[in-house]
């Protein structure tokens, strides 16, 4: 059976897996003399625009950094606002995700959230588990260093139990223990708002990903910005250490 052609842009193939560090909600609100909560609310609208655009462009997997393990350091009121917006997104957009055959995945230890948030997430995951279309992965209480520690601990326990030869541990062994094991390899990571760092996000997965840092604040990011990022990706030459 012939393999389906990858979607193309003017610059080349569309990346299979795109990850976005959604940054700039607070600065967006500050520029408009609004509370930070207004920036986060506008950021949810950007999530809606970008997830729809990604599906239209043929991106197989979109991973969004929604709440890091370090975000607990923020004021309790802001964390509460973020949890409220997460619940709002699930309640309002789950039907669309189901209708569009989207597979929802969560990266990170979301069990730390309140019981009502955990229940909503569990229900959303269960109701989209059988879908066969594009993947929307949301990173919640996620940190890449902790993810790598957990993978190392799992492999160490297997070796200690005699189930695994330490000498046989390779790249594939580690990747099978990562939370992204069901996703395609990461092709493109985008960070909005002009910051130039990964902030403990998908550190292993980003080893050979193309990185793109844009000045646009996340609430202003939309389909045209994603299309421009995809075009820029198409112009890159990915050598993976070769010539």
């Amino acid at each position: 059976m012939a393999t389906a052609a990858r979607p193309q842009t003017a610059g080349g193939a569309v990346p299979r897996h795109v990850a976005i560090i959604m940054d700039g909600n607070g600065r967006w609100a500050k520029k408009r003399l609004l509370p930070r909560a207004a920036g986060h609310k506008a950021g949810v609208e950007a999530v809606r625009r970008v997830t729809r655009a990604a599906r239209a462009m043929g991106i197989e997997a979109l991973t969004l950094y929604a709440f890091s393990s370090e975000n607990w350091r923020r004021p309790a009121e802001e964390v509460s606002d973020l949890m409220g917006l997460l619940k709002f997104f699930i309640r309002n957009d789950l039907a669309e995700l189901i209708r569009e055959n989207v597979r929802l995945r969560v990266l990170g230890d979301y069990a730390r959230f309140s019981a009502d948030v955990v229940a909503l997430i569990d229900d959303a995951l269960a109701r989209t588990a059988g879908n066969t279309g594009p993947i929307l992965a949301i990173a919640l209480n996620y940190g890449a260093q902790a993810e790598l520690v957990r993978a190392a601990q799992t492999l160490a326990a297997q070796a200690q139990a005699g189930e695994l030869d330490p000498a046989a541990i390779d790249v594939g062994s580690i990747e099978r223990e990562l939370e992204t094991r069901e996703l395609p390899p990461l092709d493109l990571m985008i960070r909005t708002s002009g910051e130039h760092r990964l902030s403990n996000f998908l550190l292993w997965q980003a080893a050979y990903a193309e990185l793109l840092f844009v000045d646009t604040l996340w609430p202003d990011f939309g389909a045209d910005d994603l299309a421009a990022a995809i075009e820029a990706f198409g112009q890159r030459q990915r050598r993976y250490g070769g010539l």
Side-chain angles (χ1 to χ4, degrees), residues 46-65:
V47 167
R48 187 172 287 119
R49 292 194 303 269
V50 170
T51 53
R52 289 171 177 167
R55 294 199 298 269
M57 293 174 189
I59 294 170
E60 292 181 36
L62 176 67
T63 300
L64 302 177
Y65 203 10

Side-chain angles (χ1 to χ4, degrees), residues 50-103:
V50 170
T51 53
R52 289 171 177 167
R55 294 199 298 269
M57 293 174 189
I59 294 170
E60 292 181 36
L62 176 67
T63 300
L64 302 177
Y65 203 10
F67 191 90
S68 77
S69 52
E70 289 77 27
N71 284 156
W72 293 107
R73 301 171 185 169
R74 296 189 177 188
E77 182 179 358
E78 182 170 351
V79 172
S80 177
D81 288 339
L82 289 168
M83 292 302 102
L85 288 170
L86 175 60
K87 290 190 288 186
F88 173 83
F89 176 77
I90 294 174
R91 288 169 175 159
N92 286 271
D93 289 67
L94 181 58
E96 178 179 329
L97 297 179
I98 295 171
R99 185 172 64 250
E100 294 295 323
N101 198 28
V102 173
R103 291 174 284 171

Side-chain angles (χ1 to χ4, degrees), residues 3-212:
T3 302
R6 291 280 303 281
Q8 299 283 315
T9 69
V14 170
R16 295 180 64 198
H17 181 187
V18 176
I20 305 179
I21 301 174
M22 306 179 294
D23 194 18
N25 291 349
R27 276 167 284 171
W28 184 91
K30 185 176 181 180
K31 285 175 60 177
R32 290 160 176 78
L33 304 180
L34 295 171
R36 289 179 62 86
H40 293 313
K41 185 176 181 180
V44 170
E45 294 303 318
V47 167
R48 187 172 287 119
R49 292 194 303 269
V50 170
T51 53
R52 289 171 177 167
R55 294 199 298 269
M57 293 174 189
I59 294 170
E60 292 181 36
L62 176 67
T63 300
L64 302 177
Y65 203 10
F67 191 90
S68 77
S69 52
E70 289 77 27
N71 284 156
W72 293 107
R73 301 171 185 169
R74 296 189 177 188
E77 182 179 358
E78 182 170 351
V79 172
S80 177
D81 288 339
L82 289 168
M83 292 302 102
L85 288 170
L86 175 60
K87 290 190 288 186
F88 173 83
F89 176 77
I90 294 174
R91 288 169 175 159
N92 286 271
D93 289 67
L94 181 58
E96 178 179 329
L97 297 179
I98 295 171
R99 185 172 64 250
E100 294 295 323
N101 198 28
V102 173
R103 291 174 284 171
L104 185 66
R105 297 290 184 269
V106 172
L107 313 181
D109 181 18
Y110 69 89
R112 183 175 172 182
F113 296 152
S114 61
D116 59 334
V117 174
V118 171
L120 274 174
I121 295 172
D122 284 341
D123 178 65
L125 292 172
R127 293 175 65 186
T128 62
N131 290 351
T132 58
I135 296 171
L136 173 60
I138 309 294
L140 295 168
N141 194 26
Y142 171 86
Q145 292 175 330
E147 177 186 32
L148 290 169
V149 168
R150 285 193 296 271
Q153 289 172 336
T154 299
L155 294 172
Q158 292 172 359
Q160 188 176 41
E163 301 168 357
L164 177 66
D165 179 0
I169 296 174
D170 57 11
V171 168
S173 304
I174 295 172
E175 290 184 340
R176 284 189 290 273
E177 300 301 331
L178 299 180
E179 298 187 48
T180 52
R181 54 189 169 271
E182 297 180 1
L183 278 62
L186 181 61
D187 291 314
L188 173 64
M189 183 182 288
I190 303 166
R191 180 169 187 149
T192 61
S193 87
E195 301 291 348
H196 294 76
R197 56 182 177 271
L198 299 185
S199 294
N200 200 19
F201 185 48
L202 300 181
L203 299 181
W204 175 281
Q205 297 85 343
Y208 279 102
E210 295 296 319
L211 307 180
L212 184 65

